[in-house]
Amino acid sequence: MSLSNQTINNLASAPTSEVIDYIYQDERWCDFMQEIIPDALDDKLGEIDEDLKYELAVCIMDRICFKKVDYD
């Protein structure tokens, strides 16, 4: 027996906030962001000063967030 898309979405809504909290508390999230954002800056901006890249990466990381979306 398979579940409808609506039922799956309803079931997914319940733990969303807790899963987001879990991700933010896991050091792997921070490690990943510290690796991927400078790579993305290199790709999008080309070669820039390392100090500037670090400052930009920190600001961008602060702006990236997960949020709960209502799928009703």
Side-chain angles (χ1 to χ4, degrees), residues 12-55:
S13 293
T16 297
S17 294
E18 290 83 8
V19 170
I20 290 170
D21 290 341
Y22 182 91
I23 290 169
Y24 280 135
Q25 293 173 13
D26 191 312
E27 69 182 44
R28 294 174 295 171
W29 163 252
C30 187
D31 293 343
F32 172 74
M33 296 302 283
Q34 289 174 344
E35 288 181 31
I36 198 76
I37 294 173
D39 291 347
L41 288 170
D42 286 340
D43 183 66
K44 301 303 175 190
L45 300 179
E47 189 173 320
I48 61 173
D49 178 77
E50 289 298 314
D51 291 334
L52 174 59
K53 187 186 329 183
Y54 172 79
E55 292 297 324

Side-chain angles (χ1 to χ4, degrees), residues 53-66:
K53 187 186 329 183
Y54 172 79
E55 292 297 324
L56 290 172
V58 169
C59 288
I60 291 169
M61 187 172 174
D62 287 344
R63 287 175 170 83
I64 295 175
C65 64
F66 293 118

